[in-house]
Structure formats: C-alpha cells, structure tokens
C-alpha cells in the first residue's frame, strides 16, 4: 500500500497496521476542519465506516485519525505517522494537512477511491509508516481548455478532484477562444447568447474533410463559476481564469462585431469559428475595445476572488498567436500606433497587454500570459506561461519576471502518446509516459537566482480533438500522474530518474484510476472504443526540440 504517487520525500515503513473500525474516530484540530470534512466524507462513502468526530488529540489513539497544524512545517509540508497510537497527519498549513490526507487515502488501497463500499466485510488498514513530504514547486498546474469543446460543470468538478488526488494545486481554466465563449458576463449577454455555440465542428485536424454538423456549445453561469471556484478552494486549488486577448477572439467578435477590425473585414458577417488553427480575426486595438474588456474583467474579478488560494490573484489574458495582418491593413490600428508613438504592430500588442497589466495591478491582481507577451516589451508586473519551448521562460526569468514552464514539446497532453497506427487523432510529437516523467521544468542555463523565478510547471490539455470526457481522460491519463510527480517530488536529473520504479508504483495507481472511473490509455495501447479510425491528425515525426 506504500506505492505512492507522487513519491514522498521520505517513507519509513514499520511492521504493523492501524485498522479502522466502526469505533474509529476522526478528530480535526483547529485550522484543519476543511481537510477533516473532506477526508471524513470520502472515507465514509468508500468504507461505510461512520468515523465519528473525536474529542481532542487523543481521539487518534489506537484506531483513530487525528489532523493537526504544526507551525514547524512549511506551508504545504506534511508528516503522516501511523503506529500503535493511531494515524496522525500534521501539516504546516491547512493545505499541508490536506495533502497528507490525500496520501492517507492512497495508503488505504484503491477501493478507498470508490463512492460506495464494494465489500462490507472489507478490512480497512493503514500500514505502520512515517512519511515526511513537501512539494518541489509552488505552482503545480493543469490547463483545461473548455472553449474548443465545452466541458459541463460536473466534468470540471471531477477534474478538480482528480487534480487534488495528484497534489496539483492550480487549475488554469481556458474560458474563451475563437470557437466559443464559456463564461456568463451579465453586462454583455451576447457573449453567451451568440458566442457560446457554433453551428458545426471540424472533426480531427483542420485539414480533415470530416465535419460534425451537430451544433456545439455551452457556458458556465456566474453561479456555476462561483461553485467551481469554491469547490476548488476547499481542495486547496487556485483557479486562474483565461480571457484571451487580442487574438483567439472570433467568438467575442461574432457577438459584438464592433470589437473587430471592421475597416478591414465585414465583422458583422463573422460567426463563431467551426474549425481549428490560428484565426486572422483579432480584436481592434482601440480604446473602446479596452473599455469593453475592462467591463468583462470587472465581472471576472468578482467571480474569481483574490483570496481563494495562493495563486488566485492571477488572471491569464492569453496574448498568444495574434496575427498582425489586419492591424497592418487597418487605418484605425495604424492611427493608434501613430498616436501612441509606437514602433510597430508588436509594440501595439505590448501596449494592449500593458494596459491590462496596469489595470489588474491597480486592483491588486497579477497578469499572466503566454510567452508571446514578451514581444514588443513585457509589462513590468507580468508573469509568463512559457509554451513555445523553454526560450520564453529563460528570457522572462532573466528579465526578472515570474515564469510557469509548460513547453508544448514536453507537456502538451493533446500530443500523441505513441507512434502506433491505432493512436486516436494523432497530434504533435510522441510524448510517452516515460517522456513526461523525464521532463525537467527548470532550464539548465538559469542561475540559482534566475531559477527562483520559476513558480512551477503546468501540463496543458487543449481540446480541439477531444470531443468528450472519455477523450480528455485518454489524453490526460496516465501521463498526468507522471507530470504530478515531476511537479511535486524532488527527483534526480531526468536521465537518473527511476522510471522502472515509477512503473511499478503505477501498477497500483492504475487501480486507483479504475476506482475513480478514469478512462486512461492502457499501457498496452488504446482499447477498441478509444480508437478513432479514419480521423486525420497532425503527427510530427522525430524527437521534439529540447529548447
């Protein structure tokens, strides 16, 4: 039962076990009540044991569980001790206790991840063990793209639970793009009335001849968003919203044509985009556009409060893949460049991004964007998501900016997992479970001072070719388990990592994923119903560039 993922810093195994019974109690000390409520809820469901509230620290004696804060531990550090005195989990904060509670659940075996008991005569036991553990990185993220294919609210809540089970703590929610606007903005109702659905959808890569002619759409009401944020906060996960500007904005322009470059194209004729790729229809770089998105962000800030987690002050504004052709052809854009005394269109985008950096900072928030925001000069307070390899992160860290490392060639989980012909809708480079396990987030060329700018790392799940939960499961797992260990555990250099040992621990972890109902890719390859024969992808041969 000690095949834990992610791997703890220290595990010392004893010779006995603590058996939980109908008489076992669970006591959550001051400051740990949230972790106690979560642990009691999931264990009652899985075991059928009542786990009544114990009184005082002595409640763990013998066969009970005790949770407590320990000011001598770091913020997410925890210590789990199981011995003749019961099971005791202590953490440097409520988040640390919660991470220890996740480890305790793993120690109880795969059936502890079920929602109801499967065997009433089951013996529930925690091996005698002492575990000391703490995360390597503060930001351990998952980017979930709900704009290309909408994920209903229950699917997002499920994703949060899966993140928590792997000790991830940042959900980057990609809410807007050319193919859909997924968040209710009461000031601008057409964003969801018009922008949240498309008439049809390209099936596979954009070169595919196949179409799904069924309309696709959906959005989260403001109360849905509040529920998602609160649910995540209870699990010590910060939700970082992404509102994409100035590119990837055709859904917004379809709803409000005045946002586009109407002196260049007929923006009134645009609809929500039904295919994939880089879209030429970008926002007009005008003061009116800025005022519109300030109105959007005012509501976003209310829905995503800054005190909901350590990274809740961050707001992601995209900034990637913004073609400049329309700006070059637009008299309005060119006049704006002249009025502002800017050098070119790259500087115009930097002005656009810089405006929202200042606007957010004035409200106690921090802007984060994709590494294209480096072009034309980066706003002083901005952080960078380095996706086009490592280079953007290196540049940003050397310039004194915080960085989240999420290089496409390494941790984009929409990329294919194998080169075999049965791999469904193969996109990008082959990134196996072992490849992800050997991913190193901190570029070797950074100095220790520059490396301290790396907040952490993030795996990204883009959903152009993931039409439902089953496809998201297949692409995300089991690789997210490997990524979680990279983000949490203090691993050796990539070449020295014990992948064979990780595979051995994964044998137990697959059973946990089975209990959770995750449709992961089996080690032997896709199951028949996971294949997508005849659907064109975009595979790239050879090893990915490591730069």
């Amino acid at each position: 039962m000690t095949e834990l993922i992610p791997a703890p810093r220290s595990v010392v195994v004893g010779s006995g076990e603590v058996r939980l019974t109908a008489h076992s109690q669970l006591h959550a000390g001051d400051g740990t009540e949230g972790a106690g409520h979560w642990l009691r809820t999931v264990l009652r469901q899985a075991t059928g044991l009542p786990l009544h509230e114990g009184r005082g620290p002595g409640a763990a004696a013998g066969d009970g569980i005790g949770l407590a804060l320990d000011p001598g531990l770091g913020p997410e550090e925890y210590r789990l001790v199981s011995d003749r005195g019961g099971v005791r989990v202590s953490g440097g904060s409520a988040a640390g206790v919660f991470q220890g509670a996740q480890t305790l659940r793993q120690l109880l075996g795969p059936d502890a991840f079920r929602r109801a008991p499967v065997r009433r005569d089951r013996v529930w036991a925690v091996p005698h063990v002492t575990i000391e553990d703490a995360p390597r990185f503060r930001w351990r993220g998952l980017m979930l793209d709900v704009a290309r294919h909408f994920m209903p609210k229950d699917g997002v809540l499920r994703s949060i639970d899966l993140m928590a089970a792997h000790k991830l703590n940042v959900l980057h929610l990609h809410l807007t793009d050319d193919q859909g606007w997924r968040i209710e903005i009461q000031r601008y109702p057409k964003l969801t009335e018009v922008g949240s659905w498309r008439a049809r959808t390209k099936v596979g890569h954009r070169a595919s001849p196949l179409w799904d002619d069924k309309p696709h759409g959906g959005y989260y009401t403001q109360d849905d968003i509040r529920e998602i944020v609160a649910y995540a906060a209870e699990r010590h996960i910060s939700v970082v919203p992404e509102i994409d500007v100035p590119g990837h904005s055709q859904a917004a322009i379809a709803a409000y044509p005045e946002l586009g470059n109407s002196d260049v194209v007929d923006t009134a004729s645009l609809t929500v985009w039904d295919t994939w790729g880089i879209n030429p229809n970008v926002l007009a770089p005008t003061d009116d556009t800025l005022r519109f998105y300030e109105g959007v962000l005012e509501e976003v800030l209310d829905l995503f409060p800054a005190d909901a987690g350590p990274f809740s002050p961050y707001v992601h504004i995209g900034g990637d893949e913004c073609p400049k052709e329309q700006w070059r052809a637009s008299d309005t854009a060119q006049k704006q460049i002249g009025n502002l005394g800017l050098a070119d269109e790259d500087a115009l985008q930097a002005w656009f991004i810089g405006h929202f950096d200042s606007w957010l900072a004035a409200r106690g928030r921090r802007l984060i964007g994709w590494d294209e925001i480096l072009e034309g000069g980066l706003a002083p307070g901005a952080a960078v998501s380095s996706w086009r390899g490592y280079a953007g992160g290196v540049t940003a860290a050397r310039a004194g900016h915080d960085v989240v490392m999420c290089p496409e060639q390494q941790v984009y989980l929409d990329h294919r997992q194998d080169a075999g012909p049965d791999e469904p809708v193969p996109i990008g480079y082959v990134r196996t479970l072992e490849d992800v396990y050997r991913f190193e987030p901190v570029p070797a060329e950074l100095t220790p001072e520059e490396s301290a700018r790396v907040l952490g790392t993030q795996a990204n799940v883009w959903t152009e070719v993931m039409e439902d939960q089953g496809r998201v499961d297949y692409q995300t797992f089991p690789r997210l388990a490997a990524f979680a260990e990279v983000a949490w555990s203090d691993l050796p250099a990539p070449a020295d990592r014990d992948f064979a040992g990780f595979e051995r621990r994964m044998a137990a972890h697959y059973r946990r994923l089975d209990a959770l109902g995750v449709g992961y890719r089996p080690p032997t390859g896709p199951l028949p119903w996971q294949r997508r024969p005849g659907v064109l992808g975009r595979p790239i041969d050879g090893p990915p560039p490591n730069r």
Side-chain angles (χ1 to χ4, degrees):
M1 297 300 181
T2 56
E3 296 91 349
L4 303 172
I5 290 179
R9 180 176 63 195
S10 170
V11 179
V12 179
V13 179
S15 59
E17 63 183 18
V18 174
R19 290 196 175 190
L20 301 181
T21 70
H23 303 291
S24 297
Q25 298 179 334
L26 191 159
H27 172 67
D30 292 345
T32 73
E33 294 86 355
H37 173 74
W38 174 85
L39 184 61
R40 179 178 287 108
T41 299
V42 296
L43 293 189
R44 277 179 173 173
Q45 289 177 344
T47 68
L49 300 175
L51 293 174
H52 295 301
E53 174 64 33
R55 297 184 181 277
D63 66 353
I65 300 171
L67 310 179
L69 297 180
D70 181 345
L73 299 176
E76 287 188 279
E77 188 175 6
Y78 72 88
R79 180 184 300 109
L80 187 155
V81 178
S82 169
D83 58 21
R84 293 181 179 180
V87 181
R88 299 175 301 285
V89 179
S90 54
S93 68
V97 173
F98 182 77
Q99 305 301 355
Q102 292 287 353
T103 298
L104 173 57
R105 191 186 190 188
Q106 289 196 21
L107 291 171
L108 284 164
D111 285 345
F113 289 81
R114 297 189 180 275
R115 295 188 184 182
V118 294
R119 285 181 291 277
R120 289 290 178 179
D121 59 349
R122 165 71 186 266
V123 174
W124 294 97
V126 181
H128 283 180
V129 67
T130 298
I131 296 173
E132 296 182 344
D133 200 9
R136 178 186 178 191
F137 291 109
R138 291 180 290 154
W139 182 302
R140 306 180 302 279
L142 175 70
M143 193 288 302
L144 189 58
D145 171 21
V146 296
R148 271 52 176 273
H149 278 100
F150 178 64
M151 178 178 286
K153 181 195 68 179
D154 284 353
V156 177
L157 300 181
R158 174 180 180 267
S159 296
I160 290 169
D161 280 329
L162 291 172
M163 290 177 63
H166 292 83
K167 295 184 169 64
L168 301 176
N169 68 341
V170 180
L171 172 60
H172 170 177
L173 203 54
H174 183 77
L175 289 163
T176 73
D177 215 297
D178 301 302
Q179 296 87 1
W181 185 283
R182 306 296 179 209
I183 179 172
E184 177 189 21
I185 302 297
Q186 294 177 349
R187 188 176 309 188
Y188 304 121
K190 289 183 181 179
L191 287 172
T192 46
E193 290 173 3
V194 174
S196 70
W197 69 277
R198 56 182 181 264
R200 64 175 187 169
T201 299
K202 173 67 69 174
V203 177
H205 182 249
R206 59 182 175 273
S208 166
L210 304 176
W211 294 90
D212 181 352
D213 290 321
K214 180 177 67 176
H216 178 86
Y219 67 91
Y220 309 111
T221 67
Q222 294 205 346
D223 281 345
D224 289 339
I225 293 292
R226 292 186 180 99
E227 180 183 358
I228 288 168
V229 171
Y231 193 85
E234 290 174 351
R235 288 148 182 81
H236 299 278
I237 292 173
S238 303
V239 184
V240 174
E242 181 178 352
I243 305 296
D244 224 333
V245 297
H248 288 292
S249 297
Q250 183 161 318
I253 297 169
Y256 292 92
E258 63 271 23
L259 294 174
N261 296 284
S262 55
D263 60 342
V264 177
V265 296
D266 179 13
T267 56
S269 68
L270 295 177
T271 59
V272 178
W273 212 27
D274 55 14
T275 189
W276 320 119
I278 299 176
N279 190 304
N281 295 300
V282 303
L283 296 175
T286 66
D287 293 341
D288 287 345
T289 301
L290 298 183
R291 300 292 88 75
F292 182 96
Y293 275 88
E294 287 172 0
V296 169
L297 289 172
E298 284 176 0
E299 295 191 26
V300 168
L301 297 192
D302 179 63
L303 296 171
F304 295 86
D307 60 356
F311 295 106
S312 295
Y314 285 83
V315 176
H316 206 294
I317 49 71
D320 64 315
E321 297 179 331
C322 178
K324 308 297 194 300
E325 285 78 12
Q326 289 186 359
W327 289 357
R328 294 187 183 98
S330 166
D331 288 341
T332 300
Q334 293 302 309
K335 287 177 181 177
Q336 186 73 296
I337 289 174
N339 292 340
L340 295 170
L342 302 176
D344 54 21
E345 289 77 17
D346 284 344
L348 184 60
Q349 175 165 335
W351 164 80
F352 200 106
I353 300 300
H355 173 84
F356 287 108
D357 179 69
S358 300
W359 189 91
L360 288 166
R363 289 155 181 81
R365 299 303 189 97
R366 288 200 64 188
L367 180 148
I368 185 169
W370 302 111
D371 55 50
E372 284 95 334
I373 67 174
L374 291 162
E375 298 166 3
L378 183 57
V384 171
S385 300
S386 185
W387 76 275
R388 293 179 300 176
Y390 289 91
V394 170
T395 299
R398 286 177 172 168
H401 293 275
D402 289 337
V403 177
V404 175
M405 296 303 301
C406 49
E408 173 188 16
Q409 302 89 338
Q410 311 298 329
V411 288
Y412 268 34
L413 300 186
D414 51 315
H415 282 211
R416 56 192 174 136
Q417 303 184 64
D418 188 83
D422 290 331
E423 205 63 28
V425 200
I427 299 294
Y429 295 100
V430 173
R431 292 286 85 190
T432 65
L433 183 66
E434 181 173 1
D435 291 329
V436 175
Y437 190 67
R438 297 192 189 280
F439 163 60
E440 173 49 48
V442 179
E445 59 264 43
L446 293 183
T447 67
E449 182 180 10
E450 293 164 349
S451 296
R453 287 290 185 180
V454 179
L455 295 173
T457 184
Q458 179 172 290
N460 293 343
V461 179
W462 298 104
T463 62
E464 288 95 332
V465 298
M466 300 182 212
E467 71 278 9
D468 56 30
Q469 179 176 290
R471 283 287 290 125
V472 172
D473 276 5
Y474 179 90
Q475 290 298 135
T476 305
F477 291 96
R479 292 183 295 181
L480 192 67
F483 172 81
E485 184 147 312
V486 168
W488 176 275
S489 305
D490 191 10
L491 298 176
D496 298 328
R497 292 177 188 173
D498 181 10
F499 181 68
F502 177 77
E503 281 191 304
R504 184 181 63 252
R505 288 182 285 119
M506 276 302 300
H509 199 66
Y510 284 122
R511 294 173 60 205
R512 298 180 192 123
L513 296 177
D514 288 334
L516 287 164
V518 176
Y520 57 85
R521 181 189 189 276
T524 54
L527 298 166
W529 56 87
Q530 293 174 322
R531 299 169 187 159
R532 295 291 186 276
V535 179
L536 183 67
R538 185 182 60 88
I540 304 175
D541 293 330
N546 190 22
R547 54 181 172 79

